[in-house]
Amino acid sequence: MRRKIIALALATLAVFAAAGSAQARMPSPEKIFKAWDKNADGGIDKDEWIAAGRKEKRFTQADTDGDGKVSLEELRAGMARMKARPAASTGEQTPPAEH
């Protein structure tokens, strides 16, 4: 029983350590924005968002001013909110900027 508890504790620590290191390796908002803004018009539209592998429902949350595009400032703010939440609660990771 004690071995199971120790194994569970170590597995939990490994998950938290991996989540922290994933956030540390997260590309900058500028790099992600440049990669996702395929037509280079200064905004990520819904099609570009989905093409980058993001969930459609998250687009509305990211487009805080409701203009139909996610600006660099909106992306920065969204990433800051995501970093502030515990990794286990998000259920979603930011894909690499090359995506």
Side-chain angles (χ1 to χ4, degrees):
M1 179 69 172
R2 194 161 80 174
R3 285 185 184 184
K4 287 183 181 180
I5 292 172
I6 291 171
L8 180 60
L10 289 174
T12 302
L13 286 173
V15 167
F16 284 119
S21 66
Q23 283 189 347
R25 292 189 316 261
M26 188 180 298
S28 70
E30 293 80 9
K31 186 173 182 178
I32 292 171
F33 189 85
K34 185 176 180 180
W36 290 1
D37 183 16
K38 296 295 185 188
N39 62 5
D41 68 349
I44 301 168
D45 62 33
K46 189 181 282 189
D47 291 336
E48 291 168 326
W49 181 268
I50 294 168
R54 309 306 293 164
K55 293 181 181 180
E56 185 173 354
K57 69 179 184 175
R58 299 269 189 212
F59 180 81
T60 305
Q61 294 172 331
D63 180 21
T64 56
D65 65 6
D67 69 351
K69 293 187 178 202
V70 175
S71 68
L72 178 56
E73 292 75 26
E74 289 170 320
L75 184 62
R76 281 184 188 133
M79 288 179 71
R81 286 190 304 271
M82 188 172 56
K83 284 181 182 180
R85 290 189 303 217
S89 72
T90 64
E92 187 174 318
Q93 294 180 343
T94 300
E98 295 78 32
H99 210 197

